[in-house]
Amino acid sequence: MSPKITTELLKQLRQVMKSPKYVQEPVQAYIVPSGDAHQSEYIAPCDCRRAFISGFDGSAGTAIVTDQHAAMWTDGRYFLQAAHQMDNNWTLMKMGLKDTPTQEDWLVSVLPEGSKVGVDPFIIPADQWKRMSKALRSAGHDLVPVKENLIDTIWTDCPQRPCKPLITLDLSYTGVSWKDKIAALRSKMAERKVLWFVVTALDEVAWLFNLRGSDVEYNPVFFAYAVIGMNTIRLFIDGDRMTDPAVREHLQLDSTLEPEFKIQVIPYGSILSELQAVGAGLSPKDKVWLSDKASYAVTEAIPKAYQYLTPYTPICIAKAVKNASETEGMRRAHIKDAVALCELFNWLEKEVPKGTVTEIIAADKAEEFRSQQKDFVELSFATISSTGPNGAIIHYKPVPETNRTLSVNEIYLLDSGAQYKDGTTDVTRTMHFGTPSAYEKECFTCVLKGHIAVSAAIFPNGTKGHLLDSFARSALWDCGLDYLHGTGHGVGSFLNVHEGPCGISYKTFADEPLEAGMIVSDEPGYYEDGSFGIRIENVVLVIPAETKYNFKNRGSLTFEPLTLVPIQTKMIDVNLLTQKERNWVDNYHQKCREVVGAELERQGRHETLQWLIRETEPLLRAQ
Amino acid sequence: MSPKITTELLKQLRQVMKSPKYVQEPVQAYIVPSGDAHQSEYIAPCDCRRAFISGFDGSAGTAIVTDQHAAMWTDGRYFLQAAHQMDNNWTLMKMGLKDTPTQEDWLVSVLPEGSKVGVDPFIIPADQWKRMSKALRSAGHDLVPVKENLIDTIWTDCPQRPCKPLITLDLSYTGVSWKDKIAALRSKMAERKVLWFVVTALDEVAWLFNLRGSDVEYNPVFFAYAVIGMNTIRLFIDGDRMTDPAVREHLQLDSTLEPEFKIQVIPYGSILSELQAVGAGLSPKDKVWLSDKASYAVTEAIPKAYQYLTPYTPICIAKAVKNASETEGMRRAHIKDAVALCELFNWLEKEVPKGTVTEIIAADKAEEFRSQQKDFVELSFATISSTGPNGAIIHYKPVPETNRTLSVNEIYLLDSGAQYKDGTTDVTRTMHFGTPSAYEKECFTCVLKGHIAVSAAIFPNGTKGHLLDSFARSALWDCGLDYLHGTGHGVGSFLNVHEGPCGISYKTFADEPLEAGMIVSDEPGYYEDGSFGIRIENVVLVIPAETKYNFKNRGSLTFEPLTLVPIQTKMIDVNLLTQKERNWVDNYHQKCREVVGAELERQGRHETLQWLIRETEPLLRAQ
């Protein structure tokens, strides 16, 4: 992986930063955030502006270019990748390390007095705008919105914004109709006394209308906004997608409907002018509800006095708690996904010793097996197929320049998942196809102990996920080991593989309390730079727990693994496990054997069924 | 404990809330916070305004009185106590429970349109003012400063503000001279480019000048402010305390000193006018450093453009990391404190069966034994001496109306501590003088497992204390038990028993990372309303840990108990402990026996030495 040469691009960007054609006054710095106008984590090619200007294409990062400097902020998952992908024009700012300045502090330290810092107001979330603007102002600088995106002005071969057909989801998948979802949203709006709700996150629009799309790779969403009033529904969406008869019928566009469920379809680009019209029609005390992560442009379209901003929208919270149809769908998706992975691992065991399987071949094979399963739509993120030292690059994606061949001498880490019409999967397994060293087994076993500590944790109702993060680290900490990423994220139901408002992380963020029906990942790891990476990840469902004293009827919760893929016992040093941990592994494997075994049998995959039975032997027999 | 009858007082308060003598315009609500002008947790009698108006005298709580309502916000430690102490005029707002409104939300829900909410600007911290003011303004109300404290206007027999003599501490106690502390502070000021630093917290003034006082019970502090410039030191303090020759010599008031160490002594009441003078002399870009918890009155004396506010001051952070002299002092203080408690427990074992020992007698006896120790000054907080159901009142303090007699049938919980000139102690032990039930032992053992999990935890350098909180709860959670308070707080060195900026709590607060030399408490508990309370508390020192892989040279930390008082083995169900936990208990008891035993021997307390030896038998022999 050679770095992108950015000297010429930066020169061009610095020119347009001074050009009266694009900026009212010259800007001394220009911020290029990761996101799109919806603050999506995964973005369409036309929105990959930060990757275009810097070369660094990880999922998180913010670039800032000044007249003299170019700097990139990213987190621990991407330190290695960013360092590899960027040339010497760029300074890597390692977020989470003590000595790394914040973007604001760094800007203040490098800018000449009274500078203007520009940013595209559609791309920066309102809460970040506010923080950044305040910090800059207090140091005598100004954050200014630059209407025309300056990267787009120098990006001559920028791809078109996608506009792909939609998928409609019926009640058997969603459990609740879009009309009932809108009614529930309106009752939340009435509780808070707000008149309008602006849906800006793409997955929230998709969830609300029980529609899916494929405008963005891996996330089954489509470019749209929605504005919900107490008696009106406005959907901002482009293209001929609304002429599709299935979509028209699903949204009842041609039916005689109660007026409050009649959907007005409006072009995507009209959002600002329509919001400004809404704002102009408001009376004192009227409120418009927006996520505080909505773009500055959308937020500012509503006069400040009318804004009602919350970190999580009621849609985000309702979407996180899966109903019975969604939970059953997630179970089905995970069983099919396990079949595909068992096929893959059985195949790898036979093929790796031949020396012909590369990381890319293994990833492609995983996709091939998944695509054979019912209701498969696409992958849920770029497969992390990594062996040996590549495994230590936490969000590695194999490309021809880095592609290693799997061997019996190195650890192989596969973090992958898929979108099925009934659910989203995300699973990591770490395998050795030869004989792991004692040190590799020790590290793997510490990670496994952390995985089990979270998965088997019992905690009172109302507990926030971040309080469970240290459970995942305790065994590693005892040995002086740690990992620089959170332990888990929310997972959507045939939606984004990363979703809020809950998670398990040492980072103090405003996570919502865990409740039964929420789905998160449990994925501790350990990474030895230059040698190997280990991660064990299941997707788990929050379920009620039974305890002896039940917290005086406050109730308690625990997790049930939805992922049912064997954990390689060859990598486990059983002596390091307590009896309780051994029982957890054996029970988990027993369940994999029963549930996935039955599906393998049904699908006639007999050889892989034998592999599964072998891989799910009780621990003391397996050793 | 019968509640205070507040009908007449509330009537009077509501009258002055409308009186043009005290308020420019009538206020529809008046806020009575807990604190004093320094946001102290422990306050002088003249500052106990919230207790005066409501009857509730716990250490934390905020009262709000409107024309129609009176409401009290407090946390889980005080739910029972507040409910007992307040009459029907008051509504208890249980903070931390899901359905409890915030003060702002409650005010908005009860106030008529366009209300004024009054508060004493000296009593409300600037950060709270800002939050409250913003929330009220966005709902059409106004937060207004009321210069005259309205409680004081109706408090006819309000005590005088204390003004007691000072104690000077020499280098053998403090390790660093006050001049060196001021020089270090100035170098932090230079780093941040601030010209002035305003010291508002009483313990920060005391620590900075190596002085102690006794204006506030339990906290060895005195009423004062300090304003430090790059070349000036101003100490705002009242009374003839500066005429004491020892103090004059300590502060070198009569010596020929470098001008930058010359202290100007100014009356306490002149702080606002002096700060306004400082503010008036500033040039653009000049900054004045204040804690964001300083009072609104003091903060607003400096024009906003010049304010530099941080959650923790450099004094707070320097004070938290104890130097070698302070650590050695803390060790000595804890050994003496252990001698006193061993004496007490030996005495209780003999006396309790006679049925003559009440909670108050036991607390007095504890103080008597402590006062026999060298350098004893006073208690560090009101002794919590509680038996049976009183133990479930987390911050209970025995008074004649509630005073129970200790018996062989009930659990006894003693949470107590002292101020010695060389250190501050805080220790909780839970004992049974008869035969505990299986359930009591189960609960005690779960609490002990949590105590050990924190005390023995190993974690990387830079870890924040809140990440350790769940370790203390895990064993309780497994049984469906929990406790409604944090696990630990910072402890001062012959200073406040509760101090920032670190702690161990599930509450997400801006705690600073733990570092070697910091001292915190480790005190999980379990409380069964109406039956008993259990808590096991040691004060522990953060020390470097040795681990196999040492976090790639990032280094690791763990805790060393400073408290050395036996944990009653009779209360332990050894079957519930792992081998590691049993070893921890045995090693801890071995250390108590060696270290405290030697001191008992030296002090000729032979009978108690025998008691100590009996109480520190290894677990399997003790059962």
Side-chain angles (χ1 to χ4, degrees), chain B residues 129-192:
Chain B
W129 170 283
K130 201 172 156 185
R131 201 173 57 239
M132 174 77 74
S133 172
K134 192 179 160 190
L136 291 177
R137 202 166 44 237
S138 85
H141 308 295
D142 260 328
L143 185 64
V144 297
V146 179
K147 260 196 182 166
E148 186 123 15
N149 190 293
L150 296 186
I151 301 296
D152 293 356
T153 67
I154 61 169
W155 192 355
T156 46
D157 55 348
C158 176
Q160 282 269 305
R161 182 162 303 280
C163 192
K164 307 241 181 84
L166 302 182
I167 302 171
T168 61
L169 288 184
D170 66 32
L171 267 185
S172 69
Y173 292 104
T174 66
V176 180
S177 71
W178 64 262
K179 288 203 279 187
D180 286 345
K181 287 181 178 180
I182 286 193
L185 172 63
R186 285 180 174 145
S187 87
K188 290 275 174 203
M189 290 162 60
E191 259 175 39
R192 307 282 187 111

Side-chain angles (χ1 to χ4, degrees), chain B residues 184-387:
Chain B
L185 172 63
R186 285 180 174 145
S187 87
K188 290 275 174 203
M189 290 162 60
E191 259 175 39
R192 307 282 187 111
K193 298 179 185 155
V194 303
L195 284 187
W196 297 92
F197 184 90
V198 186
V199 197
T200 55
L202 298 184
D203 64 332
E204 296 190 16
V205 180
W207 179 86
L208 186 61
F209 291 100
N210 292 334
L211 291 170
R212 299 293 186 269
S214 54
D215 288 355
V216 177
E217 199 179 6
Y218 308 125
N219 287 356
V221 297
F222 50 93
F223 285 102
Y225 292 97
V227 177
I228 311 298
M230 296 311 278
N231 292 299
T232 53
I233 303 172
R234 295 179 193 162
L235 180 59
F236 297 78
I237 186 166
D238 270 354
D240 50 6
R241 300 190 275 200
M242 289 293 132
T243 60
D244 176 342
V247 173
R248 294 196 75 78
E249 194 190 326
H250 175 81
L251 296 179
Q252 299 179 257
L253 293 180
D254 306 310
S255 319
T256 321
L257 260 181
E258 311 91 301
E260 69 267 30
F261 290 116
K262 197 81 198 157
I263 298 176
Q264 296 168 256
V265 178
I266 299 175
Y268 177 73
S270 305
I271 181 69
L272 276 201
S273 55
E274 288 284 333
L275 280 180
Q276 283 153 355
V278 164
L282 295 173
S283 315
K285 294 216 153 188
D286 286 352
K287 292 280 172 203
V288 179
W289 199 342
L290 289 140
S291 163
D292 67 2
K293 273 144 216 88
S295 70
Y296 176 71
V298 160
T299 308
E300 288 310 283
I302 302 295
K304 210 173 173 109
Y306 304 120
Q307 295 169 7
Y308 179 75
L309 307 181
T310 57
Y312 297 111
T313 70
I315 299 181
C316 174
I317 293 168
K319 176 166 64 64
V321 182
K322 275 68 179 173
N323 60 41
S325 307
E326 290 170 322
T327 307
E328 277 318 300
M330 286 293 268
R331 279 188 214 283
R332 283 197 306 275
H334 279 85
I335 295 167
K336 295 181 287 187
D337 209 56
V339 166
L341 280 192
C342 290
E343 285 279 351
L344 175 76
F345 292 138
N346 180 32
W347 180 84
L348 284 176
E349 261 184 27
K350 291 180 296 181
E351 298 298 320
V352 167
K354 300 177 189 166
T356 53
V357 183
T358 65
E359 293 166 342
I360 293 178
I361 290 173
D364 290 347
K365 201 74 189 173
E367 181 164 4
E368 180 189 326
F369 284 122
R370 283 188 161 110
S371 68
Q372 294 164 3
Q373 295 299 315
K374 191 183 164 213
D375 273 349
F376 171 84
V377 179
E378 62 173 333
L379 299 185
S380 57
F381 58 96
T383 298
I384 298 171
S385 170
S386 56
T387 187

